[in-house]
Amino acid sequence: DVKVTQSSRYLVKRTGEKVFLECVQDMDHENMFWYRQDPGLGLRLIYFSYDVKMKEKGDIPEGYSVSREKKERFSLILESASTNQTSMYLCASSFWGTGGGEQYFGPGTRLTVT
Amino acid sequence: RKEVEQDPGPFNVPEGATVAFNCTYSNSASQSFFWYRQDCRKEPKLLMSVYSSGNEDGRFTAQLNRASQYISLLIRDSKLSDSATYLCAVNGNFGNEKLTFGTGTRLTIIP
């Protein structure tokens, strides 16, 4: 059974804090993704990684960075959190070469920045 | 024009009815198409892939119309448990591993 786990379900941070969101998958997937989901805007891709240490910007990378030091782990970093980064953050993973294929999502982290 | 567009609904449908959603996409080079289901406060999960020849899985049928650039999802004999938000997802060009998601269509099945 594929499992994608995220480090926290709920997180409250203050403006200006550095925030780390971690995602771990156990299916040996090459691809990992970070999305944010907001009402009316849907799922928007922040960053994508197709291999260790490889990353690509998604549609909304500003204010975010990522790290992938191990295949199973993909971290999203908010260098200096701002209130407009309050959102639901979803991590996903998939096999490479499936043209998008089936993405497996983690349960999400609801981040509130005050 | 948005890359992927869906009618947000809500669709309120009586139990047992048939309901259909469409999703339009703008990139004619897109190769892969999917329907995901997202329950309230849960993560999206793949419902079904959409093949050129259509795809049926029990009460669910997905179809692709390349000429008009849309995909559809048909749910027959709807159940209360079908209440959810349905997201369509489309990849970019051939070999592109990234998906662009629609904003979702909210469906509520009424007893």
Side-chain angles (χ1 to χ4, degrees):
Chain A
D1 199 22
V2 176
K3 203 154 189 180
V4 180
T5 56
Q6 295 185 227
S7 47
S8 307
R9 292 300 301 272
Y10 300 95
L11 209 51
V12 179
K13 294 292 181 181
R14 292 193 183 273
T15 302
E17 278 194 85
K18 192 168 186 175
V19 181
F20 292 87
L21 302 182
E22 289 224 310
C23 175
V24 179
Q25 51 93 5
D26 66 358
M27 273 300 290
D28 204 32
H29 286 163
E30 294 85 1
N31 299 332
M32 295 189 76
F33 308 84
W34 274 108
Y35 296 91
R36 62 179 282 178
Q37 188 172 32
D38 301 286
L41 297 176
L43 276 165
R44 292 179 292 167
L45 182 65
I46 304 171
Y47 265 99
F48 159 56
S49 169
Y50 52 91
D51 201 352
V52 175
K53 297 191 188 295
M54 306 304 287
K55 63 186 178 187
E56 270 187 31
K57 291 180 180 178
D59 299 316
I60 51 163
E62 297 78 20
Y64 304 94
S65 61
V66 290
S67 172
R68 192 159 179 208
E69 297 296 320
K70 292 186 176 182
K71 189 175 185 179
E72 68 271 18
R73 191 178 297 266
F74 193 33
S75 301
L76 180 70
I77 303 147
L78 287 66
E79 294 291 342
S80 177
S82 63
T83 54
N84 63 13
Q85 293 178 310
T86 291
S87 186
M88 171 66 84
Y89 289 87
L90 288 156
C91 174
S93 68
S94 69
F95 284 115
W96 169 260
T98 57
E102 178 170 8
Q103 291 190 14
Y104 295 85
F105 284 84
T109 296
R110 184 163 292 282
L111 173 67
T112 303
V113 183
T114 62
Chain B
R1 184 184 171 183
K2 283 186 182 176
E3 282 189 65
V4 179
E5 284 196 85
Q6 292 183 254
D7 181 343
F11 284 59
N12 298 315
V13 172
E15 197 174 1
T18 295
V19 60
F21 317 127
N22 283 345
C23 166
T24 58
Y25 61 94
S26 60
N27 185 351
S28 59
S30 294
Q31 296 291 321
S32 302
F33 308 89
F34 308 92
W35 283 104
Y36 280 74
R37 172 194 168 125
Q38 186 172 23
D39 293 307
C40 191
R41 300 185 194 282
K42 297 279 192 179
E43 71 272 21
K45 291 186 179 178
L46 182 68
L47 178 66
M48 56 200 308
S49 303
V50 188
Y51 305 122
S52 296
S53 55
N55 189 18
E56 189 171 319
D57 184 4
R59 299 181 293 107
F60 297 82
T61 301
Q63 293 196 308
L64 167 64
N65 185 317
R66 281 195 186 275
S68 300
Q69 294 185 208
Y70 73 86
I71 62 173
S72 63
L73 178 68
L74 181 81
I75 306 174
R76 288 182 298 277
D77 186 24
S78 53
K79 313 287 184 197
L80 295 175
S81 57
D82 295 333
S83 296
T85 297
Y86 291 84
L87 309 171
C88 64
V90 177
N91 84 334
N93 302 320
F94 180 77
N96 194 317
E97 299 291 310
K98 294 179 282 187
L99 294 177
T100 299
F101 286 83
T103 52
T105 296
R106 191 166 163 195
L107 172 67
T108 301
I109 306 300
I110 304 164

